[in-house]
Every structure is written in C-alpha cells, then in structure tokens.
Amino acid sequence: MLKRVVNALELVALLAAATFVVLLFAYRPTAKPAAPAAAAANPLVVGEQVFAANCSTCHGAHGEGAVGPRLSGGAVVRRYPDKADQIAVVTNGRAGMPAWKGRLTPAQIAAVVEYTRTGLNRG
Amino acid sequence: MVAGSRPDVAGVERRLIAALLVGGAVAVSLGVYGRLHDPTHHALFTLFFTATLNLKAWFATVVVALALVQILTALRMYGKIKVPRVEPPWLGDVHRLSGTLAFMFSLPVAYHCLWSLGFESHADQTRRFVHSILGCFFYGAFAAKMVVVRARNLPGWVLPTVGGVVFSALVGIWLTSSLWFFRTVGFPKI
C-alpha cells in the first residue's frame, strides 16, 4: 500500500518538476496599465512603481514590514529624520539591505525614498 | 577471480560521469536562468502565512526535517544505526516518501527564489551570493543522486556520498535563508 502511494507521489513530483520549469518561462505577472504621462512624471507615482517592483518583497506590499523593517506609518521618517541618510542606505545597502546603486537610477532611488516617506503614510 | 566476475570499471565510470553531467547541467541551467531572467520581485501565494517569505522559511525548514528523516532511514538501511533493532520492511518506502515530499516542498521555495528574486551575482552580498550558489548546486546534486539511485553496480560508497552532498547543500541553503530569517525577523514568524 505504502509502496503504491510513494510510486504515485513520485509521479506527481515529476509532474511538479516539469510544471516548475514551464512556469519559470511561461508565467508573467499581470502588467499594470501604463500611467498617463503626467502621472508617470510624478515622483510619487514613480516611487510607488519602484517600490512595488523592488522593495515590497522584503518590506511588504504596503511597507508594513516582513524581512525588512516596517516603513509605513511614519516609521521610516522616525528612523531617518534626514532624507539623505535614507537615500544613502538605499544606495549603498546596510546589513540585510542590499545596495541598489547600479540597479536603480539616482532618480528612482530618490523617488522611492520619497514614496516611503510620504506615499506610504497616506493609507 | 575469473574474468567474467570482474567489475565493469568502464561501465561504472560511464555511469558516474553521466550522473555528474546531469547534475552539472541542472545546476548550471538554474544558475544561468537566475542570472539572465529579469527578476519580477512579485510575491507568490502565501497559504496561511502572512507573507511569501514566511512561507519560504517554513517550507525550507520542513524540507530539512524531511531530509533528516532521509538521513536516519538511510543510516538504518546501511546498518550504521541499530534503531529500531529489526529493520521494518517499510523503511525503504519511508525513505523514498520523505525524499519525494522534501523535493515537492522545495519547489515553490526555489520557484520564488529564481523567478522573483533571481541569482545574486554580487559577491559582496555574501549571504545571498552563497545562497544562490548552494541553491543551484543542491538541485544539481539532487539530479545526480536520482541518476545514481537508478544506476546499477556502482560502488557502495557512491550513493551515501552523493546523498551526503545533497544534505550538506540543503543545510547550507537553510542556514543562509530560514535561519537568517528566523534570527532577523523573529521566531516563530508565521
């Protein structure tokens, strides 16, 4: 009985492995509709997009914190009263925080920092 | 010793090389994918966990626990431990079951790592760099083990060695991810 269960499970595992490979190439997250040009130029809109794409995995979709610390509710402003200090951390990294220099432009870093300080506090 | 009973050295070498090639191909393919793929940075399903990363940390821990079952059952099958005193007839099936389940639990974790986060190629990001290398190596070693398990007439040391390598890689992966998560974020962090 157990042998038959294991045999069946091994087949399922094989299928799962095949699905894993297919999904690596086939699955694309649903793209958000493009922002109007005026909105796209708004640093908060750019910052929100950068945050969703790069930061939310660790800091949570709404900056509520996960692996990375909580940013929302004014937490990041209390931690970094001077915005330049926060920009330096995002740019160069620190402890578990990766450096984003070279992966994000200075304008994108400035935008996402601004978003975490003001945009995340609106909700 | 008569000529007909001599071990087929060339055949053994061929099977070992095949296992190494398969393992290498899997590991390199995953690394190349992780390096070339543009990370999506999207979360996946969370089940009853609060975030995908929490799910990953606990799934990886389950994988290590199942791998420990693999190690213990293997030690009993090889007679290296004597508990239980009489080897149950279902021990081999439990060994296979724990390995299969461990592999299945590892897939969503690996998928999020590769698809969402990608391969960390910056060596100055030590933990993530080591984790990326070990992740690719683990699946390569696992694939090699699958080849070795099914190969006949290999020397007795091969399977335990490959199994030990797979387990060591897995522990390294866990240390650089789940343990880091539990120490950094908190434990238990569901």
Side-chain angles (χ1 to χ4, degrees):
Chain A
M1 176 62 185
L2 182 60
K3 195 177 289 295
R4 273 197 284 180
V5 170
V6 175
N7 286 341
L9 205 60
E10 282 184 347
L11 271 180
V12 174
L14 203 59
L15 283 175
T19 307
F20 170 88
V21 174
V22 169
L23 284 179
L24 281 177
F25 293 96
Y27 182 46
R28 289 281 172 271
T30 313
K32 290 182 179 175
N42 182 340
L44 279 182
V45 174
V46 175
E48 183 178 11
Q49 292 168 347
V50 172
F51 184 87
N54 301 286
C55 316
S56 60
T57 306
C58 291
H59 289 285
H62 306 289
E64 69 274 21
V67 172
R70 175 186 173 89
L71 304 174
S72 60
V76 73
V77 178
R78 285 192 294 277
R79 186 161 181 166
Y80 300 107
D82 187 344
K83 189 161 76 171
D85 292 337
Q86 189 188 347
I87 288 176
V89 169
V90 176
T91 304
N92 302 313
R94 200 189 72 173
M97 171 80 175
W100 290 94
K101 183 170 59 183
R103 290 190 267 187
L104 295 176
T105 65
Q108 286 175 314
I109 290 175
V112 77
V113 164
E114 186 58 34
Y115 173 70
T116 60
R117 298 174 75 85
T118 55
L120 282 176
N121 296 332
R122 289 181 302 186
Chain B
M1 180 182 284
V2 293
S5 67
R6 285 173 54 198
D8 178 10
V9 177
V12 167
E13 285 175 353
R14 269 200 304 275
R15 286 188 283 272
L16 285 178
I17 290 171
L20 279 174
L21 286 177
V22 168
V26 169
V28 169
S29 299
L30 290 176
V32 168
Y33 172 89
R35 185 78 180 90
L36 298 181
H37 165 73
D38 195 16
T40 62
H41 295 290
H42 276 258
L44 290 175
F45 55 87
T46 58
L47 299 180
F48 55 85
F49 294 92
T50 49
T52 301
L53 291 175
N54 302 43
L55 176 145
K56 288 174 69 181
W58 280 105
F59 269 35
T61 304
V62 169
V63 173
V64 170
L66 289 165
L68 277 173
V69 175
Q70 279 251 298
I71 293 287
L72 290 173
T73 50
L75 286 173
R76 181 64 192 91
M77 286 190 293
Y78 277 79
K80 299 296 181 188
I81 57 174
K82 300 293 180 191
V83 180
R85 286 178 66 180
V86 178
E87 184 179 331
W90 41 260
L91 199 67
D93 292 329
V94 170
H95 182 80
R96 285 172 58 206
L97 179 67
S98 57
T100 307
L101 286 174
F103 176 70
M104 290 173 77
F105 268 98
S106 77
L107 287 179
V109 181
Y111 184 79
H112 183 266
C113 287
L114 279 167
W115 179 80
S116 180
L117 303 177
F119 186 93
E120 177 59 78
S121 56
H122 295 89
D124 56 333
Q125 302 290 331
T126 310
R127 181 188 68 80
R128 293 158 24 137
F129 178 71
V130 171
H131 183 76
S132 298
I133 298 276
L134 285 175
C136 298
F137 179 79
F138 167 76
Y139 282 104
F142 182 84
K145 190 192 171 199
M146 290 304 99
V147 174
V148 167
V149 160
R150 281 156 181 77
R152 297 189 186 282
N153 300 327
L154 286 177
W157 56 266
V158 174
L159 188 54
T161 303
V162 178
V165 168
V166 172
F167 182 72
S168 302
L170 179 63
V171 170
I173 290 170
W174 185 83
L175 291 173
T176 52
S177 57
S178 296
L179 181 64
W180 173 84
F181 178 88
F182 293 137
R183 289 173 58 120
T184 310
V185 181
F187 179 87
K189 188 79 173 178
I190 305 294

